[in-house]
Amino acid sequence: MGVIMKKFICGKNSVLDAIENGIAIKMIYTSKPHLIKKINSAKIKVVKNSFLNSLTRENHQGFIAEIAEFNYFNIDEVIIDKPNIVLMLDHLQDPRNFGAILRSANAFGVKHVIIPKNRSVKMTPAAAKVSSGGYVGIKIIRVNSLINAAEKLRKNSF
């Protein structure tokens, strides 16, 4: 396991997807208590919209889930898992594009995505929301150098 980062998932459907996919949720904040019926969780706090707006600038639709953590993985996970497909992304800056790529990658069965640590997007609430739960089950690996990562994978029969 790698670096741990505090995260929020924004939007009703994204929060529901997180619950359905077993993502560890610390707390669900909502300003729409009449829609809580669909969520069976004791970790729900009814708050004002101003509180939700203070947590994020994303379009939260009255729902924000605080997830326990987001773990980036090490390149060795790829070598251990031996997937058929590994997706490497370079100089990707826009978290919404990253989320869309993760959603598509998930649909095509990609389970390992490698991104550089520098000059690249990180997993953000915007990326999580746009991915529509597509990041669930994908190991996102951050490396210092994509060239070195590709060479390491090549030396390990990739």
Side-chain angles (χ1 to χ4, degrees), residues 73-75 88 114-118 141-147 149:
F73 290 86
N74 187 293
I75 188 72
M88 298 179 86
I114 301 173
I115 58 173
K117 288 182 181 177
N118 298 315
I141 297 125
R142 292 181 72 205
V143 296
N144 289 324
S145 165
L146 287 177
I147 292 170

Side-chain angles (χ1 to χ4, degrees), residues 50-81:
S50 58
F51 176 78
L52 297 176
N53 292 337
S54 73
L55 295 178
T56 184
R57 294 184 347 177
E58 296 295 320
N59 178 12
H60 51 71
Q61 302 167 326
F63 288 87
I64 296 178
E66 180 181 356
I67 60 174
E69 58 193 40
F70 182 82
N71 290 312
Y72 291 103
F73 290 86
N74 187 293
I75 188 72
D76 294 330
E77 292 288 324
V78 178
I79 295 165
I80 292 166
D81 295 346

Side-chain angles (χ1 to χ4, degrees), residues 3-138:
V3 178
I4 296 173
M5 173 177 98
K6 185 176 178 179
K7 293 223 33 81
F8 294 109
I9 296 174
C10 305
K12 186 179 112 184
N13 291 331
S14 295
V15 169
L16 290 173
D17 283 344
I19 293 167
E20 288 174 16
N21 287 295
I23 296 199
I25 295 176
K26 286 184 173 181
M27 183 64 69
I28 297 172
Y29 302 100
T30 183
S31 62
K32 299 182 177 182
H34 58 284
L35 298 176
I36 296 177
K37 296 175 220 165
K38 293 182 177 181
I39 302 173
N40 296 323
S41 174
K43 299 177 182 179
I44 297 175
K45 187 172 184 179
V46 178
V47 296
K48 293 184 178 187
N49 241 7
S50 58
F51 176 78
L52 297 176
N53 292 337
S54 73
L55 295 178
T56 184
R57 294 184 347 177
E58 296 295 320
N59 178 12
H60 51 71
Q61 302 167 326
F63 288 87
I64 296 178
E66 180 181 356
I67 60 174
E69 58 193 40
F70 182 82
N71 290 312
Y72 291 103
F73 290 86
N74 187 293
I75 188 72
D76 294 330
E77 292 288 324
V78 178
I79 295 165
I80 292 166
D81 295 346
K82 298 197 183 302
N84 291 326
I85 302 171
V86 177
L87 179 61
M88 298 179 86
L89 304 172
D90 194 14
H91 293 290
L92 187 62
Q93 300 289 321
D94 188 334
R96 287 175 178 81
N97 287 344
F98 186 45
I101 290 168
L102 291 176
R103 184 177 63 236
S104 297
N106 188 310
F108 284 100
V110 174
K111 298 298 177 197
H112 297 78
V113 174
I114 301 173
I115 58 173
K117 288 182 181 177
N118 298 315
R119 296 184 316 268
S120 183
V121 69
K122 295 178 180 78
M123 192 62 192
T124 66
K129 182 172 183 178
V130 171
S131 79
S132 301
Y135 71 94
V136 176
I138 292 180

